[in-house]
Structure formats: C-alpha cells, structure tokens
Amino acid sequence: MNLEKTLFDAYGFTSFRPGQKEVIEKILVGQDVIALLPTGMGKSMCYQLPAHLLEGSVLIVSPLLSLMQDQVAQLKKMGEKSVTALNSFLDPAERSNVLNNLNNYRFIFISPEMLVQPYIKSRLRDIRISLLVADEAHCISQWGFDFRPDYLRIAEILPVLGHPKVLALTATATAKVTEEIKKYLDLSDPYVYTHPMDRKNIAYDIRKFTNGNEKLEWLKSFVSANRGPGIIYAGTRKKSQELSGLLNLAGIRTAFYHGGMEHQDRIFVQQQFQNGELEWVCSTNAFGMGVHIPDISHVIHYQVPTSIEGYVQEVGRAGRDGSPALATLLYAAGDEELLDSLVLDDLPTENEIREIYRNADEGPQLVEQGIVRETSMRVITYWKNHLTEQETIYQIEQQKIEKMKQSAKIRKLIFLESCIREYLMECFDQQLQNKPANCCVKDGLNYNKFLKRRESRAVALSDTWENRLNAILPC
Amino acid sequence: MLFEDILIIILKAVDGERTVSSPYHLLKGKKSGQTIQDIGYYKLHPYFGILPKLEKKVYDKAVQKLFDKGFIIPDGQVVRMSEKSLAYQPTAPSVNGWKYRGNEQVFMARLSLIVQTLSHIHQNHRVFDPVVIADDVQQWVKSYLHRMDYRNEESCRNLKAEIAGSLSKAEVDDSAKKIVLQRLSGYKVGGLTWEQIAAIENKEVIDIRLQAIEALHTWMGIIETEDYPLLKVLLDGLIQKSSLTETARRTESYFKNGRSLEEIAALRGLKTSTIEDHFVELAMNDPGFDILAFMGGALYSKIIAASRSQNTKRLRDIKEIVPEASYFQIRLALATKGEIK
C-alpha cells in the first residue's frame, strides 16, 4: 500500500512528518500504539489517515471541551465532513440525531464522561469502531500534571467495543507515565513511538530579579523593544488581565486570554493575534490549543510554571515554523512560595473530601454554596465510587507528594547551573544528542537571533460603524 | 450607566412591593410564576430575559452602588425608592426582551458567520477559522449562503447595502451600532472582546453588552417591518409568535378542551400551583380569557377595588382586606389589571 499516495489523495500533502508514517503503519497492521509526539507535529494525522483505510469509525476520546471543539474545527477545515462530537454541549435533539446516525461518521469525538453513559455505550456497541484514540493520554496518569479521573473509564469501554485497536497520543510523558498508560489502557505489547522532545530552534533563557517590580519593569521594556508574536504566560486569570492592562497602557498591542472568557471573545483574541493586530497575548495555560500560529517567536513565563511537562508544552508553541524562537522564564525572589500554592491549589482538600463523602448526592449544591470547588467535586466524585473516604484522603496525600516533587523539579530548573536543554530532556528520560549553537543562557545566548526590532504600526481602529463595515466587507 | 438606569426603572415599577433580587430574576428571564406575573402587573416586558447570563456578583455590585448613592432604601424584605431616585427620570432603553427572548444572540451568530464568510471569500481566502462553532448555526448559515448565491459579488454588495441601510434607520445611538460592528469580524479584521470595547469606551462591560442588545433589538425591529429581504431571512424562527411560554400554551390547550385545573395538573404531572401560574399568565396575555370561571363577578370587583384604594399589588395586603379570596384568585384578578367590566 502506498501511504504517501493516500496522504496526497486525502489531504494534498506530499510527505509525512517525522513519526507519522511509523505510527500509521503499526496501526494498519493491527498493533496498539503509544505515540509521544510534541505539540504541533501533526498528532491528529496519526488517526486521520487510518480512518480512510480502516473499515468503521474512529472514536477519539478528548479531555477538554475546548480542545475537542478545536479538533473538530480543524478536521472540517481539512475537508473532513464526516465528523461529530458527543459532549455535554449538545442539546437533546442534536444528540439523538447524532446517535441515530452514529455509524455514518468517520470521526466521532467524545468526552470521557459521555463514554460511560449506558445509553451511549449501547449505541457505540452497535457500530463498528476500528480504532480508539486516547488523546492527551497522559491525563490517565494519577501522577501526571494533568490527571483527569474520568480518563480511567476508557478502560471500561474497551470490552464493550470488542477491544478495538488503541492509539494513545500525548505530547508529554515520562517513562513512568508511559507505563501507566500501558497499564490502564490494557495494552499488552504496544509499539511505542517516542519523538525526541528537543526542539533545536528554541533557545532557553532564565532571568532572575530581586523583586516583582523589577520583573515587571523588565517585561515592559523587553516587549516594548521587541516584536512578537509572543505569548506571556501568567499563573492566574487575574494576573493575565493585570499584565495586559499594564502593557496596554505602555502602548503595547496586547490582550488577555483565559478560560473564564466567553467562547466568542476567545476566538476574537485568536483572530487578532493571527492577524497581527495583537503582538503579545497575556494568558493562562488555556491559550495554545486551537491557536495555529507558526511564527511565534517568544514565549515568556511571567510566573513560574507548575510542572516541567506543562512548561515544555507551553514553550513548544513557539517556533513551529522552524525559525529561531526564545523561551524566557522570569523569576523574582519569593516566586517559589506562589509555586507551592499554585501546585497544591488544584488538589482537593481534606475538608472537601469529607463534605462530598458525607453529603450524599449533593455535590452540585456544595459547589454552588462555595464549599467545594468544581474541579475538586469531579475528582472526589470519581474516587467516591471506587474508594473509601480514608483511602481517598490517602490517595490525594500521595498526589500531593508527587506534586511537591514536580515543584522541586521546577525549583531545580530555576537555580540550574548547567545546560537547561539537557535538564529538560533528562526530565523526560531522554538524552541530548547534539546541542544547537544557540542553546541556552547557561551556554551563552546570541539574542540577536530572535530579537526583531519592533515596527511601529498604528492599529486601524475604525472610527465609525460605517467604516468598519467597509473594512470587513470591501465588496 | 445603562445597567444602572434599567435597574432604577425596574425598581421604580415595583417600588416597595418586591425584594431587591426580583429585577435579577426578571433580567435573567426566569420562567417562574412570580416573575412572569410581575412582568404583566408592572408592565416590565421589555426587560424580560435581556441578560440570561447575568452573574449574581455583577448584579449585587450594581445594586450595592444604588444603595451607596442613596437611590434605594432597604425596607424589611423589600426595597423602596428614595426622593432622589423618584426625581431621576432615566430614558427607557429600546429593548424588547419579551419579544426576542435572547434570540438576538442567534441573529448575531448567524450574521457573524455570514459576514465572516463573505469577507474571506470575496478577498480570495477559502479557508478560515469560523467565529461560530455551534453546529446548528453553521448548518443554517451554510444553506443560507447557498440560497443567496454567496460567491457572486453582487450578492455580497446587496447584503452589505441592506446592513448599511437598515442599520442607519435604527433609532439608537451610533456608539451602540459601532459595538455591534466591533463584534463582527472578517479577513484581517478581528472582532473585539467585550473588555476591549469597554476599555476603549471607558465603560463597564455590562453597559457595553446592554448597548449591543439595544442596538440589535432596534435593528431587528427595522428589518422585521421594512423591506430587507436578505436580512429578513435571518429572523427565521427567532420571533416569538405567541406571547405565552411553551408550557403555559400547553395548559391553555387542555383548558380549551374542557379540562379543569386539577385534571390538567394530574395529566401533565405538574403541581397545581404550577398550573395556577399558567392561568395567571393566560389571564395576563389573553384579553378573551374568562377569569369568571374561577370567581364570581362580585369577588373580582372587590379585589380590584382593594388594590386601587390601597394602591398596592402585594397579595398579602389585599388578602387582609378580602380574606375570602384565595391567593390564586387575587393573582388572577390582578393579572387582568382591572380591565374586565
């Protein structure tokens, strides 16, 4: 079979990107696959192409609603028409329409909690699923930075579907997480493809300041002097808003972006960024998915990231076009205190666990009253079905220890004396093969490579509604 | 400012007879008997459901401001207007919540996607990220575009001319029209977030949102009544045909088939109090509704007289004067606004 020809016929591409062909070949001969491919390396092609060659539908489990929406949009953009998404946003009429025509879809996206609903399960049993894709498969790991208990339910559906072939995709996984993916997805002898984590065109910088004010002043002068496109990651929604406000005042074209904004507004920020109307986006880690800008030349972490995996994923959004990009991590004395609270804030507290266990069926109400946070409710509700209260407390305690290990790794990064690139690779159990010339601040950096002088460009703010109408529709 | 004005208008209407959170339910479009009934009593139709996603904390902040400024005074369970606010006469915004029921958002979603598509196609860009991802809107727009022959430049010009023509006729501030246009996007022209517009205009986000709703309601009114064939299609299915809620309409059809209140409750598996709410809604909206099926003419007159003499619509006050009437009967009588001879 000529895979290149199929690729060209279906999507008009003449060649595969590294890793895609190996993964696809294994899927086609019927082997389970775990593929570790960095963000932006065309992960989705690994199931798109097999969908054209295998009989039946491909079922893709996706952890985040926004991510799922983006994937559906991307597939449609590539000309795939036979795509649907089963998630809690569908209204009953839409949902029954989709379910009644399920076997007509080549790609079915589904959220993990939908996967185990009895009715949906039975509909899925009735159709032929040739491949189950666990996207962002690291979410299955209890020790990972992005654990989603619902993901453990994927294993429950496999026998129902008659054990289809499984493709687990992730951009970030340590050896430990890969083992867990194997275990929980019940993959006895999978082919594991590991793409080198290293991105040669990204250089690493870490800057330390004695206080927050100095850090802010540095940021202002840096973004004033340098052109984007660039992302400034802030630790919290509030901080992203604050930074964007300050930079706007300094005359820099920037906006904030976070998960608390309505969908339309988030699209608008993406549009502006893509159009070059914005040079910098101040954002939480919500920004990135769904943003397809190949020439991002800067990723700045204004606050210390909470895990190495998250850090590498965010940095990986720079320089997708292969041109030089700079990742700058900013640290002010005392930031690590914030780090601990950020890391541990995500975890349910003992009190929340007790509330959920002792109040039967009142989870949503506890959330409404502000006694239990929504994320905590999701996690605890899952464990409640599997463990006793004491066991859950122990479980969360263990996760806390794991998270502390992660923040220790971040701390080590900040105060590292040796090569940053080498250290990041080590965290993923990989070894650095060869160092690029412009590697990291520890090896000396030539900043001229990525620092483009900023052009002054006035923003075309239409003064009247009539003018804006003309700008949008010049016909 | 706009939001504050709307709160003052609503609180003035219910002065001293409702709690401070009643405007919140009204603006959110809560379909409870109490809210639906208040709309009729106090003629608050325009404000029903104009802010379905209004956050309690935003509302509370605005109300607190009214307290701080001395516009409203707490009085036990209810709030009263101060001298200051009675002297203040805000202009009523041109919104029509009861009629549009939040559907201006659907209108806007359709328009956004149509405009974005035309903008790209006619500047030779076939592939773009759609601003609206909802499947139903996408399907709707797809079939609309095919019917209008969207690849033809003439069609694009026609639609643009209709937008420009109808919008300039809408009697609403130019700044509000500009907000609507800022929420549209096209090739190389990104839409603006609510926060960005608010920052440029130096206003609160909620006021910007309300201005947009005001512009859309006014504009939709023009499109509906005048000759704009390309835009008129965008209103398909968005204008409330009956002024009743769906559930009240079902109760009405049972009633017309001769069922009693209790029978309807049993048939529909609803509480009798819910069915009572429906009857109040019917009495409010249908001039032909025969409330004398529920009470004698004498009792009706007594209730109306009590309401007028005490200048109140509070059920408890009226019940004290006419103890023989049930709360349901009082609500029914009030719903007719005393217009039955």
Side-chain angles (χ1 to χ4, degrees):
Chain A
M1 186 187 310
N2 186 341
L3 284 180
E4 274 83 1
K5 184 174 182 307
T6 316
L7 180 70
F8 184 79
D9 291 345
Y11 300 106
F13 298 137
T14 49
S15 64
F16 286 101
R17 307 184 67 178
Q20 288 175 341
K21 196 174 177 185
E22 291 90 318
V23 169
I24 292 168
E25 279 171 344
K26 295 293 176 188
I27 293 172
L28 292 178
V29 297
Q31 201 172 354
D32 294 325
V33 178
I34 300 175
L36 278 66
L37 281 165
T39 320
M41 290 299 288
K43 274 190 295 171
S44 58
M45 188 54 74
C46 296
Y47 57 81
Q48 271 173 260
L49 204 67
H52 285 264
L53 298 165
L54 296 169
E55 223 173 288
S57 311
V58 173
L59 183 69
I60 304 121
V61 186
S62 191
L64 278 178
L65 208 59
S66 53
L67 178 64
M68 194 188 295
Q69 288 170 337
D70 176 57
Q71 285 166 319
V72 171
Q74 287 307 310
L75 279 188
K76 286 187 176 167
K77 207 170 157 186
M78 290 175 86
E80 292 291 356
K81 296 200 163 51
S82 187
V83 189
T84 189
L86 281 167
N87 55 46
S88 50
F89 268 21
L90 285 180
D91 65 45
E94 281 176 307
R95 186 201 294 207
S96 74
N97 189 22
V98 169
L99 285 173
N100 287 332
N101 295 297
L102 211 51
N103 56 345
N104 293 331
Y105 293 103
R106 183 176 273 162
F107 301 95
I108 303 165
F109 286 85
I110 193 165
S111 57
E113 66 275 12
M114 278 274 177
L115 201 55
V116 288
Q117 287 183 12
Y119 182 62
I120 294 190
K121 237 177 172 168
S122 79
R123 300 296 318 189
L124 286 171
R125 188 176 35 218
D126 293 343
I127 66 165
R128 176 158 181 186
I129 303 286
S130 54
L131 180 65
L132 183 140
V133 181
D135 200 10
E136 309 289 329
H138 57 269
C139 293
I140 211 166
S141 163
Q142 297 163 45
W143 315 123
F145 71 111
D146 202 9
F147 172 51
R148 289 167 196 275
D150 277 334
Y151 248 55
L152 293 169
R153 298 180 174 183
I154 296 176
E156 296 171 27
I157 192 85
L158 288 172
V160 177
L161 302 177
H163 292 282
K165 291 300 140 202
V166 174
L167 166 63
L169 289 170
T170 175
T172 58
T174 58
K176 190 175 175 188
V177 171
T178 310
E179 275 316 304
E180 274 199 288
I181 293 173
K182 261 188 219 176
K183 182 174 141 201
Y184 285 111
L185 290 180
D186 202 13
L187 309 176
S188 52
D189 182 29
Y191 168 70
V192 181
Y193 175 84
T194 310
H195 194 276
M197 293 305 304
D198 192 23
R199 296 270 309 275
K200 301 279 182 227
N201 60 322
I202 298 178
Y204 298 90
D205 195 5
I206 295 177
R207 299 206 167 233
K208 298 196 188 74
F209 305 92
T210 51
N211 59 55
N213 215 18
E214 246 178 49
K215 182 165 82 169
L216 181 63
E217 287 310 314
W218 182 88
L219 179 75
K220 274 196 221 167
S221 68
F222 185 84
V223 297
S224 303
N226 298 293
R227 192 151 38 122
I231 307 174
I232 301 164
Y233 281 107
T236 60
R237 291 175 179 180
K238 202 171 145 215
K239 196 75 194 174
S240 70
Q241 267 176 268
E242 212 176 285
L243 284 179
S244 129
L246 287 169
L247 295 179
N248 264 324
L249 282 180
I252 291 148
R253 286 184 281 130
T254 176
F256 63 85
Y257 183 104
H258 57 64
M261 292 158 67
E262 67 176 65
H263 179 256
Q264 183 84 87
D265 277 358
R266 280 185 282 162
I267 291 192
F268 286 162
V269 173
Q270 291 178 18
Q271 283 183 336
Q272 294 172 25
F273 197 43
Q274 257 150 347
N275 290 341
E277 291 168 289
L278 292 175
E279 275 195 276
W280 298 87
V281 170
C282 302
S283 163
T284 62
N285 57 11
F287 193 69
M289 288 178 310
V291 181
H292 308 276
I293 302 170
D295 62 342
I296 291 173
S297 54
H298 288 281
V299 168
I300 298 176
H301 281 82
Y302 188 77
Q303 278 157 318
V304 178
T306 53
S307 71
I308 294 282
E309 286 98 324
Y311 175 67
V312 166
Q313 204 165 51
E314 283 153 21
V315 163
R317 284 167 189 141
R320 297 231 181 127
D321 60 354
S323 59
L326 180 63
T328 311
L329 174 58
L330 306 183
Y331 166 86
D335 277 359
E336 62 266 48
E337 285 155 36
L338 180 74
L339 179 65
D340 284 341
S341 70
L342 276 177
V343 166
L344 297 178
D345 259 6
D346 293 344
L347 287 177
T349 63
E350 245 186 83
N351 191 42
E352 287 175 316
I353 296 171
R354 223 167 300 142
E355 289 290 340
I356 294 276
Y357 269 82
R358 296 183 188 176
N359 291 290
D361 306 326
E362 279 172 23
Q365 211 172 318
L366 292 170
V367 170
E368 197 140 298
Q369 293 165 351
I371 296 170
V372 175
R373 292 163 300 169
E374 194 174 342
T375 48
S376 301
M377 184 193 73
R378 270 195 297 136
V379 173
I380 303 167
T381 310
Y382 175 82
W383 289 119
K384 197 178 171 183
N385 293 326
H386 295 79
L387 301 175
T388 67
E389 184 181 324
Q390 271 317 308
E391 284 168 336
T392 299
I393 291 175
Y394 177 74
Q395 171 81 20
I396 302 295
E397 212 38 59
Q398 292 304 107
Q399 282 183 35
K400 201 185 254 178
I401 293 167
E402 189 63 29
K403 292 240 177 189
M404 296 302 280
K405 278 189 198 157
Q406 283 177 5
S407 71
K409 279 189 188 171
I410 287 285
R411 228 174 252 130
K412 188 171 170 196
L413 170 69
I414 298 167
F415 299 106
L416 202 64
E417 294 296 337
S418 56
C419 172
I420 297 173
R421 187 179 306 271
E422 232 165 60
Y423 176 68
L424 292 176
M425 295 286 286
E426 243 174 67
C427 290
F428 288 95
D429 310 301
Q430 294 187 9
Q431 276 196 340
L432 184 56
Q433 301 298 339
N434 45 42
K435 237 183 227 219
N438 225 7
C439 179
C440 71
V441 63
K442 307 294 170 191
D443 296 324
L445 271 179
N446 174 7
Y447 289 94
N448 295 330
K449 288 274 180 199
F450 7 75
L451 305 191
K452 290 173 257 182
R453 292 269 308 159
R454 197 160 159 255
E455 303 162 12
S456 58
R457 188 190 124 182
V459 194
L461 275 179
S462 303
D463 44 347
T464 64
W465 69 264
E466 291 95 338
N467 286 349
R468 188 166 162 96
L469 179 60
N470 282 327
I472 297 174
L473 289 177
C475 61
Chain B
M1 278 314 282
L2 191 49
F3 187 47
E4 213 174 277
D5 282 354
I6 289 176
L7 290 182
I8 291 175
I9 291 171
I10 299 173
L11 286 168
K12 264 188 186 179
V14 302
D15 189 9
E17 298 183 348
R18 289 291 177 268
T19 63
V20 73
S21 52
S22 64
Y24 174 71
H25 299 308
L26 175 68
L27 291 168
K28 293 257 302 182
K30 191 176 171 192
K31 288 194 177 85
S32 73
Q34 178 77 70
T35 302
I36 301 278
Q37 178 186 316
D38 280 359
I39 294 163
Y41 286 176
Y42 302 111
K43 300 202 171 63
L44 292 169
H45 297 85
Y47 308 104
F48 179 73
I50 54 174
L51 293 171
K53 287 183 191 149
L54 178 61
E55 286 174 70
K56 193 70 168 59
K57 63 172 198 271
V58 173
Y59 177 79
D60 288 343
K61 207 177 111 194
V63 168
Q64 192 52 50
K65 247 187 179 164
L66 290 182
F67 279 124
D68 295 346
K69 286 186 182 174
F71 274 109
I72 49 176
I73 309 154
D75 177 7
Q77 295 282 304
V78 299
V79 279
R80 285 190 191 286
M81 305 307 285
S82 66
E83 296 288 325
K84 187 175 168 188
S85 59
L86 289 172
Y88 177 57
Q89 296 289 346
T91 331
S94 348
V95 287
N96 200 339
W98 187 254
K99 176 170 179 185
Y100 292 115
R101 301 284 167 96
N103 279 337
E104 74 278 348
Q105 303 304 332
V106 182
F107 171 80
M108 190 63 184
R110 289 173 176 174
L111 185 68
S112 307
L113 195 52
I114 293 167
V115 165
Q116 187 197 22
T117 310
L118 293 175
S119 175
H120 281 84
I121 295 288
H122 291 284
Q123 294 177 86
N124 300 317
H125 285 268
R126 272 195 45 213
V127 180
F128 56 92
D129 291 307
V131 275
V132 181
I133 52 166
D135 220 22
D136 48 349
V137 176
Q138 284 192 358
Q139 293 305 330
W140 191 95
V141 167
K142 204 178 267 178
S143 84
Y144 174 88
L145 287 170
H146 283 293
R147 270 178 289 147
M148 81 174 284
D149 187 19
Y150 71 107
R151 291 186 179 280
N152 188 338
E153 210 170 316
E154 191 64 29
S155 318
C156 181
R157 271 196 293 271
N158 289 340
L159 182 71
K160 184 181 167 187
E162 282 195 18
I163 294 174
S166 55
L167 196 52
S168 56
K169 278 195 189 170
E171 283 186 32
V172 61
D173 212 67
D174 267 0
S175 64
K177 298 177 188 176
K178 192 168 143 193
I179 296 169
V180 171
L181 263 295
Q182 283 168 326
R183 298 292 293 177
L184 294 175
S185 63
Y187 177 63
K188 291 283 177 203
V189 186
L192 268 63
T193 67
W194 294 115
E195 276 86 3
Q196 286 176 320
I197 301 173
I200 296 168
E201 301 292 322
N202 198 16
K203 286 181 181 163
E204 297 283 330
V205 166
I206 186 98
D207 290 327
I208 297 292
R209 282 177 186 270
L210 281 167
Q211 270 194 284
I213 291 165
E214 196 181 4
L216 286 171
H217 284 190
T218 318
W219 187 19
M220 287 163 83
I222 300 277
I223 295 169
E224 189 190 356
T225 49
E226 297 187 24
D227 187 27
Y228 296 104
L230 286 172
L231 284 175
K232 195 162 287 185
V233 185
L234 267 69
L235 299 178
D236 270 2
L238 302 190
I239 293 174
Q240 202 76 16
K241 287 282 182 305
S242 158
S243 49
L244 294 179
T245 56
E246 187 53 42
T247 178
R249 194 158 41 216
R250 236 172 292 158
T251 290
E252 181 188 32
S253 77
Y254 280 115
F255 186 59
K256 281 185 173 158
N257 287 329
R259 300 286 185 175
S260 73
L261 196 153
E262 289 73 18
E263 282 173 333
I264 299 172
L267 278 165
R268 300 197 55 193
L270 296 172
K271 289 192 208 144
T272 47
S273 63
T274 306
I275 305 298
E276 286 179 1
D277 287 344
H278 296 166
F279 280 116
V280 173
E281 198 185 325
L282 287 169
M284 217 164 68
N285 289 289
D286 178 4
F289 182 80
D290 180 19
I291 77 156
L292 296 180
F294 297 92
M295 71 192 87
L299 184 59
Y300 174 76
S301 306
K302 248 176 131 176
I303 296 169
I304 296 299
S307 166
R308 289 203 176 136
S309 69
Q310 300 298 306
N311 190 24
T312 183
K313 290 177 175 110
R314 285 183 79 180
L315 304 185
R316 217 178 329 137
D317 298 346
I318 296 174
K319 176 90 175 163
E320 256 171 47
I321 307 171
V322 196
E324 67 271 33
S326 70
Y327 280 112
F328 175 48
Q329 287 168 326
I330 299 173
R331 289 170 62 201
L332 272 182
L334 291 178
T336 65
K337 304 175 199 102
E339 280 156 15
I340 294 177
K341 298 281 149 11

